[in-house]
Structures are given as structure tokens and as C-alpha cells.
Amino acid sequence: MLFGILGETRAWHDDGTEVPLGGPARRALLALLLIRPGEVVSADRLAAAVDPEGAVSAHALQSQVSRLRKALGSGAALEQAGAGYRIVVPQDDVDACRFERLAQEGRAALRAGDAARAVPLLREALELWRGPALAGLADSETAQPAAVRLEEHRLGAREDRIEAECRLGEPRALVPELRELVGRHPLRERLAALLMRALFAEGGQAAALVVFEETRRHLADELGADPSAELTALHRELLSADPSPAPAAPPAQLTAFVGRTDEVAEVAGLLRVARLVTLIGPGGVGKTRLSVEVAGVAADDVCFVELAPLRDGAGLPQALLSALGLRENGLGMGDSRQSPVDRLIAALSDRVLLLVLDNCEHLVDEVATLTARLLAVCPRLRVLTTSREPLGITGENLWQVKPLDGDAAERLFTDRARAVRRGFAAEPQVVSRICAALDNLPLAIELAAARIRTLDVDDLAGRLDDRLGVAARGSRTADERHRTLRSVVAWSWDLLTESERQAARRFTVFAGGATAESALRVCTTDGETLESLVDKSLLEVAGGRYRMLETIGAYGGERLDAAGEREPVQRAHAQTFLDLLRTADPHLRRAEQLAWLPVLTAEHGNFLAALRRAVEAPDVATGLQLLASASNYLWIRGVSASVAPQAIALLEAVGDAPPAGLGEEYVTCVLLAASGAAGRPVWQRHRATAEKALTAAWSAGRPGRYPVGLFLWMMRNASEADPGSAFALVSSQRDCADPWARSAARYVSGFGPLGEGDTALAERTFATAVEGFRALGDRWGTALALDALAGLAGGRGDRAEAIALTDEALTLTEQLGALEDSADLLVNRADHRIGEEATAARADYDRAAGLARRAGSSTCLAAALRGLGDMALLDGDLAEAERLYGEALERVDPHWVKSVGTQVRTLAGLGRVAEARGDHAEARTRYREAACAVADMGADIWDVLRLLGLPAGVIESVAGAVSAR
């Protein structure tokens, strides 16, 4: 006999005919016995299941049991045991027990990696369900826990089945089912993860990220919790799966948007016909919030740039590059002739984008100049700015953001007051008087409403009359509302306790917010004080970081100066982030680098602020230590050139000799100064002194403190005419105590035998470096060494091995978010494919060119254009090949060592074009230029040309031109 409780309680004979169980009382009785076959169920529980009102007597229960026993006949043993009853049947005869067994076996198969076996098991388990578990009994207190448990197992089995089916085949067919399940279970993180993966599989990366954000919001709103580590890791994985740059999204809003609905629609409409719109108005009037709401409806692709942390216009282009998600350097190190503005133009030239520039007033001239240039050369770009004054450039459309109207202001005050005091209600006239006293300014209203938590509304109105009366009713000038807001900030500040005022004014030294740990340390306060400042709207908290509004920060900065605390607090700030950088540095050379890079990226503004103050002081020791501790992060992220001006300024303060005990820090500063466009003279002036300092630090068998500085020294010196001493210094560390330095030294050492033509020894050395980097979990070093091995494999004609190694390196660079590195590797892979897989090679070149344009990297773009020129030459299109080679040659950076290969191959390509046209004189000229570029490398010309993969005839032509130099 078979029994079913996964739905309405039923029983069937072995021949399939149904057993007539009778009314609901007997079905409830049987269901409760079948939850745990063979276990005794007390008579009281059975009676409660039969009649929750408790009207069933012991005799009546016995009568129901007797009738049920008669209905079941010999198919089941229904026994009395002590003070209860039990049913004795095989476990597999009960659908719930069979379901749990099959589901458990399916899950075990899934965890063992056997999805093909898991799917039929899980489907069979789920097909046993005919409706809700214990239908008709689930509301009973005696059965509810079992029903909940079974339903939870059912949902878990569906998740297992979906995951198994995703592993077996096309997951996109599962998207509708997953959307329905996520809608019913918004807090179920595993369902969200499955939906995110399925959406990403069908090309919906943006949709997948929306699912994460919605899940994160549900968890925060309903549980007050953050997503799990697994879901957060999946989020990072999806972000890094596509190396396209991810622009900064508008900040998520924590409160409802009140009023201005019509303004949002009108500004969005204006942006459809105008390419530049500026929201102007006084501080605190709501320009930023309006821009966020407009961005949400005006465009699909939005980049939101907060300019308030910038102190001057010098960092404006770099701030835009960072917001667009663009790195500044690739794996290779060296000078770059391309300015940040040129990179911006290259990245935005063909992109449909709404660029929102928030808080422009303190940089209005620089913003106006840059915006005008970008709009002139990027025809598909639109710009929305917020400022207290117009940019004053042609084509600008001004939108005056005025204070809220009376009704909206009162709604805003009431909404925010109810957020801090449940059930808040007040006379409309009192609320209207408060808002009028605040000139209906949104920020002022929010600050005042926060005080409702501790003040009565009438008391609040009286205090506002006392403190703001003159400002609100005095002579009205253009800056009157600003002074009113200042009075509100001052009033709110005066109501703080002394400990709150101290923490608030000290917090103003942060740039871009702070974690709780950093805020507690720098402000020398406690968590309760920070939370109190949040409650009173002096601080905001989101994503685990505290932030202070600009207007409050400006006032708090004045209070910090008045208290005479700025210098010691700034020292504490610098030391806090110096300690963070030192803690993170070793992790950046190991498997934890993906976890630590986002941590340091979030603190980039604080690092720059600490560095800038050290330069301005000048505090040479702190500045040098900050740069040295951050160097690994700066190079991996590709933002080393952003600190080149500060590095140059520090070197000016240092002079020609490094400070005592800071030799390595001095070396790192020289390297970072040389990474900028103006760094060449600095490099020439300080190179010899820096090499002596580095040699002193890495000698006598003891490792220095900054292994990355040693490695970068060799990378930077590789483009010099005589890198021998630098090469020897790095190579000497092959057996040093630091494992990362050993791997880096072995990687660098591989170029020695490579230059001498001993490719076998070079390959063994690079392979050893790969093993060392990989054992540490360092993706950056591993990618470098894999790329070198791929070049050797390609040089000996093993294209399959070269492509496989390049694929490995490409995976690692994409995990790091290295857009330019990925473009560089795509070109290398295409070079390996071009002989036998022309279609795949063209696709790689095209993709590399696209990535290079998005990143604004002229060097990577030159390599991709050279490859496309090779393709055109193979197709016999001489005019197109010549055009592409010419464009590539214009973009080659002669100071970057990795550009030498591009330069040689481009010149050789132009020589082949000339030969094909019969112009032998032009061909000889081009081959001679290529030969000069090779000879300048100081290596055997034949080996270099072979490693470049040039055709035999071209190698002979170029090598033969050496004698004509």
C-alpha cells in the first residue's frame, strides 16, 4: 500500500486503486501518523489534529482509529503503544519519506559533481508533490512544524534541481521559473544567485546585477543584514567576468523622494534635446538628489561623478577616468605620452552616456573647460551638472532648483520626522512655520526633522525662531539661503554634546567617507557617538561607510581649525591609512588580493588626501612611506600616474639624497614620479642615487621591505640603454627569503638567457616564476610570467600552447579588472592565431581595439591596429593595411618597453606593403627603421625577430638592414 501526505492525504492499494479513507478526521489522523512512520504519536496530539477545538474524547478518538484501521485493512499495521498510536509501514511507501530520500540522494550527487544523475533523482522527488504538504492539516499546531519542514525541503530540492539543470545545459530556459521563485522568496539568497547566473548566461549582466541589488535591499530592509559572503563573491565574479569598464552608478538613496516629480520629468525631457544641463541653486536646496532622480529616468548608461572630494582642478580628469572604471596602466610599466584628457576622449568618443558631474562650484572653471572639450569631440555624450553657479559655456541649459513649495516641504518634514519618531503628528500650522523658517530648503528641513527624536515639535519651532529669525527675516541677498542653511547647521551643531562635536569636527579630515574602524580611531570616539551623529543627520551611513554632507563638512572643518586640532587629527588620519596600506600590502601579493583590492579602492580618496597633506606640509617621511606602502596597489590597479605629481613634489623636497632609513621609500617615489608624462627628467636625475639605495636595501642576503619596488625597478630599467646593473640586482634575489621576491627575480632572470638566445633556459626560468606566483595566489605576477611563456611557445611555432597560456593569463587579468592588460593579451593571442585561425584572430584584434578605445589606451590600440593591418595585408588590401599601420605608428609610445614589438612589427608591415607595390626603396627604408628599433633593445636581433613571429622573409629583410644603420 502507498500513502501520500504531500498534498491531500490519500492511500492506494498496490494495484493503484484508491483506499476510501472517509472524512477529514480520519485523513488528519492518518497524516499525523505518517509524518514519522513507526514513531508513537500521543493520543492528545492525535485528538488535537482531529479536532483543534478539543471536542474529541478518548473514546471518540479510539473509534476513529478503529475505523481507519478497518479502512486500511492488511495494508498497514495501526498499533496502540502506551498512551498513543503508531503506524508501521515501510518508509518508501510514504511519499514524504520517499521524497526526502530521493532529494537527499540528488543533493549528494550534485555535490559530488554528477549533475546528470542528480537531475532525474530530484525531478522524481518533486513529482511526488500533489499540493501543499499536509493539506488540510497544516494549520494545526501539531502538524505545522512538519509542514514547514517539508515545504522547506521542497524548495531546497527545487533549488538543487535548477542548479543541476544549469550545469547540464542552457540555463536561460530556467529564468522564468527562477524569477517567479525569487519573487515569492526575495530573501532566499541561493535563488537570487541561481537567477543571477542564469541571467548572465544569456548576456544579461546588468539584469543579474539588478537582482543582486534588489536582494541586498530586501535583506537590509527586512532583516537589517548584508548579503552573504557567497552572494557578495558572486557579485564580484559577475562584475569581473566582462572586462568592459563599469561606470560609477548614482548613489543609492535611503529615503523616499518627496516633491519635484514634475521637475524630474521636465529635466529629463530637456536632456533629450540638450546635451548640457546645469542644475543651479544654493547649497542644501536639493540639486544632488534631483540629479540622481533625473539620471534614473533619463538614460540607461549613466556615470555619476562626485566632485566634492576634489580640492583643485588638477585631479578632475583622473576623477572622471576612475568613475568610468578605467585603469591607467597595463601590466607593462613605463612612460606614457597620452594625457588623462586624451584618454577620456578616446573612451567617450563613440559612447552613448549621460555623465553627471555633482558639486562643480569649487572647480567651475576647470569643469567648464573639460566639459566643453568633451562635448565638442564626443557627439553621443550628454552632461548633467550641479553647481551653485553656471559653467558659462556655449550650449549650456540652466535649470534653477528652487526650494520646495509649501506642501512638499511639509510632507518632507513629516516623512523624515516619522522616520525618527513613530506615529509623529503635529498641527499643520506648526510644521508650516518650521519649514518657512528654514526657507523650505530640503537639507535644512531634514536636519531639523532629525531633532524630533529628542525634541517636542513646539520646542523645535521655538528654537528655530530664536536662532534663525534674523537670517530668515533680514535683508535678502543672493546668498541669503546659504546663510540660512549655515545657521541651521550651526544650530544643529550647538545642540550636540561635546563628545559629539569633537567626533564630528574630526571626521571632516576624511575624503570619501570612512569605515567605522577608521572613524573610531581618527575621531577618538566610540560607536555610540557615531550612531548618535547618524541619528541627528550629521553623518550618513551606507554600505558599511560613514559619510558627511559637504555643507556640514565645511562647517565642521571651521570648527576643527577653531579648536586647534587640525594638525594632530590629520596626522592620526595619515597614520591610520598608512597602517591599512601596510597591512594590505603582503595580501596583494597573495590569493587574498581580490578581497583587498576593493578595500583599498574604497579608501583611495583618503589615501590621496593624506598624501596631499604630507606634500603640502611638507612631511617627507610620511609622504614617502604612504607612496611605498601603496605602490603595489597603485601598479596593480593601474593608477600610478595619478600620484606622479605628488611624487615629483616630494622628490623636490628630498633633494638629491634619500632621508636616512627611507632609501627604499625614496626608490619607490622615484619610480612613481617616472610613471607620469613629466617624469622623464626626474628619472634621469634620480636614477643613479635610487639604484644605490635599492642595492643597499637588497644586499647581504637580506630582503628589503618592498619587494614590488625591486621588481618594478627592473621593469622600468628594461627600456634603458644599459639595464645590466639593475638586471643583476634583481636576479641576485632568486634565493632570497621573501617568496614573492624570489618569483619576481626568477621572472626577471628569464630575460637574461632570452637575450642571449638560450630559449630553453629562459622557458625553465619563466616556468619556475609561474609556479612561485601561482603558489602564492598572485594573479598579477602569474599573468606576467604566463605571457612570457606564451611568447616563447609562439616563437618556437607551438601555437596551441601559446594560445592556451595566453588564455590563462587573460582569465587572471579579467579577474583583476585589468582592462588594458586584457586588450594587450588579446592582441598576443591574435598574433598566435593569425596563421591558422584568421577569423578568430580578427575577432581578438577587434575586441582588443574596442577595449583599448573604451580604456583610452593609445598603446594597446596601436597594437590592435597593427594586428588589423596584418589581417588586411593577408587579404591583399594594401590601402587598408597601410592606413591601419599608419594609425598604429602614430600611437606607439617609444618610451614603453612593450611598445617596441608593436613598433617593429608595424614598420615591418609597412615594408611588406611597399614590397607588394614594387617600391623596394621604401621597403628598405622601413626595414631599416625596424632594424634600428630592434638593435636598440641590445639583444640578438635574430632571436628578437623570431620571437615576434615575423615571416622568414621579413626576418631576413629586417636583419639584413642592420648593416645599413
Side-chain angles (χ1 to χ4, degrees), residues 173-263:
L174 299 166
V175 169
E177 180 183 6
L178 280 167
R179 283 198 181 279
E180 186 267 334
L181 286 171
V182 169
R184 286 197 285 118
H185 306 281
L187 302 179
R188 193 89 173 184
E189 293 189 71
R190 188 182 180 197
L191 284 173
L194 288 169
L195 178 56
M196 289 164 66
R197 290 192 182 278
L199 288 168
F200 184 77
E202 64 177 5
Q205 184 185 30
L209 297 177
V210 168
V211 172
F212 174 83
E213 179 58 29
E214 291 175 346
T215 304
R216 184 200 62 75
R217 188 170 62 249
H218 281 301
L219 290 168
D221 292 346
E222 299 187 31
L223 301 180
D226 293 327
S228 65
E230 292 80 4
L231 193 64
T232 302
L234 173 59
H235 183 236
R236 288 197 302 268
E237 177 185 341
L238 295 181
L239 285 173
S240 63
D242 182 350
S244 299
Q253 300 303 304
L254 306 178
T255 56
F257 184 58
V258 178
R260 303 196 195 280
T261 303
D262 292 339
E263 284 189 74

Side-chain angles (χ1 to χ4, degrees), residues 574 608-624 626 650:
L608 291 179
L611 179 61
R612 183 184 65 251
R613 292 164 187 158
V615 171
E616 292 171 352
D619 182 352
V620 171
T622 299
L624 290 178
L626 282 167
L650 278 174

Side-chain angles (χ1 to χ4, degrees), residues 39-76:
E39 292 186 7
V40 176
V41 183
S42 69
D44 291 341
R45 289 186 63 204
L46 292 172
V50 172
D51 186 356
E53 300 297 328
V56 177
S57 65
H59 177 74
L61 176 63
Q62 188 176 17
S63 175
Q64 291 289 353
V65 171
S66 178
R67 292 176 186 177
L68 179 60
R69 184 184 290 119
K70 182 178 180 180
L72 296 177
S74 60

Side-chain angles (χ1 to χ4, degrees), residues 3-331:
F3 301 90
I5 59 174
L6 300 180
E8 182 186 13
T9 304
R10 299 170 70 180
W12 300 269
H13 293 293
D14 290 342
D15 61 3
T17 59
E18 187 165 354
V19 177
L21 296 174
R26 259 166 280 164
R27 292 181 186 273
L29 183 65
L30 178 60
L32 198 59
L33 290 167
L34 289 171
I35 292 173
R36 300 285 187 189
E39 292 186 7
V40 176
V41 183
S42 69
D44 291 341
R45 289 186 63 204
L46 292 172
V50 172
D51 186 356
E53 300 297 328
V56 177
S57 65
H59 177 74
L61 176 63
Q62 188 176 17
S63 175
Q64 291 289 353
V65 171
S66 178
R67 292 176 186 177
L68 179 60
R69 184 184 290 119
K70 182 178 180 180
L72 296 177
S74 60
L78 186 53
E79 304 173 345
Q80 185 171 9
Y85 295 87
R86 68 184 173 196
I87 189 169
V88 181
V89 296
Q91 294 271 334
D92 243 26
D93 286 356
V94 182
D95 61 357
C97 298
R98 192 160 67 256
F99 160 75
E100 291 192 282
R101 176 181 62 80
L102 290 167
Q104 185 175 5
E105 291 177 2
R107 173 166 291 187
L110 178 63
R111 288 177 174 173
D114 191 354
R117 181 170 178 268
V119 168
L121 287 169
L122 293 164
R123 285 179 177 170
E124 183 181 353
L126 291 166
E127 286 168 1
L128 293 170
W129 285 76
R130 296 168 286 103
L134 302 169
L137 190 62
D139 292 337
S140 166
E141 292 183 3
T142 59
Q144 189 175 22
V148 171
R149 177 180 61 81
L150 287 169
E151 291 290 350
E152 176 66 20
H153 286 187
R154 181 187 190 183
L155 184 55
R158 286 189 73 178
E159 291 173 334
D160 289 339
R161 191 215 81 220
I162 291 170
E163 181 175 341
E165 290 179 348
C166 284
R167 293 185 186 183
L168 285 180
E170 184 58 57
R172 64 187 64 190
L174 299 166
V175 169
E177 180 183 6
L178 280 167
R179 283 198 181 279
E180 186 267 334
L181 286 171
V182 169
R184 286 197 285 118
H185 306 281
L187 302 179
R188 193 89 173 184
E189 293 189 71
R190 188 182 180 197
L191 284 173
L194 288 169
L195 178 56
M196 289 164 66
R197 290 192 182 278
L199 288 168
F200 184 77
E202 64 177 5
Q205 184 185 30
L209 297 177
V210 168
V211 172
F212 174 83
E213 179 58 29
E214 291 175 346
T215 304
R216 184 200 62 75
R217 188 170 62 249
H218 281 301
L219 290 168
D221 292 346
E222 299 187 31
L223 301 180
D226 293 327
S228 65
E230 292 80 4
L231 193 64
T232 302
L234 173 59
H235 183 236
R236 288 197 302 268
E237 177 185 341
L238 295 181
L239 285 173
S240 63
D242 182 350
S244 299
Q253 300 303 304
L254 306 178
T255 56
F257 184 58
V258 178
R260 303 196 195 280
T261 303
D262 292 339
E263 284 189 74
V264 171
E266 292 178 40
V267 175
L270 180 58
L271 275 169
R272 284 191 283 271
V273 296
R275 296 184 57 215
L276 172 61
V277 175
T278 297
L279 306 178
I280 61 171
V285 78
K287 302 184 294 296
T288 296
R289 184 62 186 268
L290 179 59
S291 73
V292 170
E293 299 297 330
V294 169
V297 301
D300 294 326
D301 196 3
V302 178
C303 179
F304 194 95
V305 189
E306 297 179 356
L307 300 182
L310 293 183
R311 297 302 177 91
D312 55 59
L316 178 62
Q318 183 59 44
L320 267 64
L321 284 172
S322 298
L324 285 164
L326 302 179
R327 299 172 69 249
E328 194 163 315
N329 298 103
L331 286 174

Side-chain angles (χ1 to χ4, degrees), residues 392-668:
I393 60 177
T394 303
E396 181 183 28
N397 287 257
L398 300 180
W399 185 276
Q400 180 73 47
V401 182
K402 298 180 180 179
L404 296 171
D405 62 43
D407 290 342
E410 292 164 27
R411 288 201 310 275
L412 177 64
F413 181 91
T414 303
D415 178 81
R416 302 303 190 257
R418 286 174 178 168
V420 298
R421 179 186 287 182
R422 189 182 300 275
F424 167 80
E427 289 294 329
Q429 297 86 346
V430 177
V431 174
S432 176
R433 183 156 56 91
I434 291 172
C435 294
L438 301 172
D439 268 3
N440 291 344
L441 287 171
L443 176 58
I445 290 170
E446 295 204 15
L447 287 170
R451 305 304 301 156
I452 290 298
R453 181 172 178 268
T454 55
L455 292 177
D456 180 81
V457 66
D458 292 321
D459 187 19
L460 174 66
R463 294 192 183 205
L464 281 171
D465 287 341
D466 292 341
R467 298 302 301 271
L468 299 179
V470 174
R473 295 190 294 271
S475 62
R476 308 186 69 85
T477 67
D479 198 34
E480 184 272 336
R481 290 192 183 95
H482 174 71
R483 290 191 291 111
T484 299
L485 178 59
R486 179 183 176 83
S487 299
V488 174
V489 174
W491 161 79
S492 185
W493 190 278
D494 290 343
L495 291 178
L496 299 175
T497 66
E498 178 53 36
S499 62
E500 290 170 344
R501 282 196 291 268
Q502 174 183 285
R505 65 177 179 258
R506 292 179 178 180
F507 191 89
T508 61
V509 300
F510 289 102
T515 63
E517 182 180 1
S518 297
L520 293 173
R521 178 175 173 181
V522 174
C523 301
T524 57
T525 187
D526 52 44
E528 184 177 348
T529 301
L530 289 180
E531 292 306 314
S532 179
L533 290 173
V534 173
D535 287 342
K536 297 173 182 178
S537 294
L538 272 295
L539 289 180
E540 296 178 338
V541 61
R545 294 184 67 80
Y546 290 90
R547 296 180 184 275
M548 179 175 279
L549 294 175
E550 180 191 3
T551 307
I552 298 171
Y555 185 87
E558 294 175 4
R559 299 298 90 201
L560 185 69
D561 289 330
E565 295 179 333
R566 181 170 295 279
E567 185 176 342
V569 175
Q570 287 182 349
R571 281 200 304 270
H573 175 271
Q575 189 61 48
T576 295
F577 291 100
L578 180 57
D579 290 345
L580 174 65
L581 290 166
R582 286 171 171 168
T583 300
D585 183 58
H587 297 289
L588 295 181
R589 299 191 292 277
R590 291 172 174 79
E592 313 92 85
Q593 59 189 180
L594 286 186
W596 277 91
L597 282 171
V599 172
L600 296 185
T601 300
E603 303 296 356
H604 191 72
N606 281 307
F607 160 68
L608 291 179
L611 179 61
R612 183 184 65 251
R613 292 164 187 158
V615 171
E616 292 171 352
D619 182 352
V620 171
T622 299
L624 290 178
Q625 291 174 78
L626 282 167
L627 284 177
S629 300
S631 59
N632 197 6
Y633 154 72
L634 294 170
W635 285 105
I636 292 177
R637 278 299 194 204
V639 292
S640 60
S642 67
V643 300
Q646 287 84 1
I648 292 173
L650 278 174
L651 289 175
E652 289 296 320
V654 167
D656 293 328
L662 297 174
E664 272 192 276
E665 288 82 354
Y666 166 78
V667 172
T668 306

